[in-house]
Amino acid sequence: MRAMVLTSHPGSDDALTPGEVPDLSPGPGEVLLDVAAAGVNRADLLQLKGLHPPPAGAPEWPGLEVSGTIAALGEGVTGPQVGDRVCALIDGGGYAEQALARAEHLLPVPDGLDLVDAAALPEALTTVWSNLIDVPGLPPAAGIEPEAIAGATVLVHGGSGGVGTIAIQLLSALGARALTTAGGPERVARCVELGAHRGIDHRSEDFVELTRAETDGRGADVVVDVVGAKYLQRNLDALAPFGHLVILGLQKGATGEMNLAGLLTRWLSVHGTVLRQRPREQKAAILADVRERAWPLVARGEVRPVVHARVPLAQAPEAHRMMADGEVFGKVLLLP
């Protein structure tokens, strides 16, 4: 089977090259997918640098989400059938002609959704859903009802990214006001087209000041952040009393300082999350909740994939370069 395999030089330009790997066979509870496309995520770039290793037992080649058709069923799989169009959240191995997925980690691709484009959804949608709907400290799917988000103001950093483009649409569909940051007027305008109430150009505008201006001085109920240390204190300053900061990424550093007095006196909360390392059962619960309550929005076209480019699998290093250079709006997909 053809796949993009890692060389012995993590972090180098030639760390990812086309190669042959053993054919896959689904184990108990698994399905084998003929891959139509694999989504590219920043976690894949980190894996190439040796900073984000796959969970035990996962393939060594990258790829956290795929779309395709079911080619074979493992023992004990009920429900999914050979030939079904699906997309899936996987532990790794998506950069290949075929991939394995847990049956409970599948999402059915609606008839009106392009099978290739569906690969842009699993990672972003499950990430956004689990951090907006699930309450920190509670098991997945035990959080608030989506209707409770209606009327809330949520500041989304990186609105032009894979997670950000989905977060804007989801918040808009649920009746929340999404404020978002992006780099440059063109990208800001595209975020507004996706449903953002207000776009903020982080290159020339102050997101704390504008968030407070848009909320009559109160601040955002939630801040969804992929920047990390650089924005830590400013994110807290942008929150309303009882506000909540969700840290999803560390693009600008992992170590920062914050004023704990403000955290206490304004009753703020902060939590971080990494989806890939969650136990299998938690991922299954998140996906079940997404399938029941968020996937109908996808089926109705209220939340749709935003695809920047479709790139041949052998050109995965070029896709990674596009991601690293910040030129991508939405997701890049790799096609076997």
Side-chain angles (χ1 to χ4, degrees), residues 33 65 89 101 142 231 328 335:
L33 301 178
E65 58 185 342
L89 191 68
Y231 279 4
V328 173
L335 280 60

Side-chain angles (χ1 to χ4, degrees), residues 182-185 187 200-206 231 325-326:
R187 296 169 82 85
I200 302 168
D201 186 349
H202 65 72
R203 297 174 182 171
S204 61
E205 298 178 301
D206 186 322
Y231 279 4
D325 290 349

Side-chain angles (χ1 to χ4, degrees), residues 71-82:
L73 305 176
E75 181 183 352
V77 173
T78 59
Q81 299 294 316
V82 172

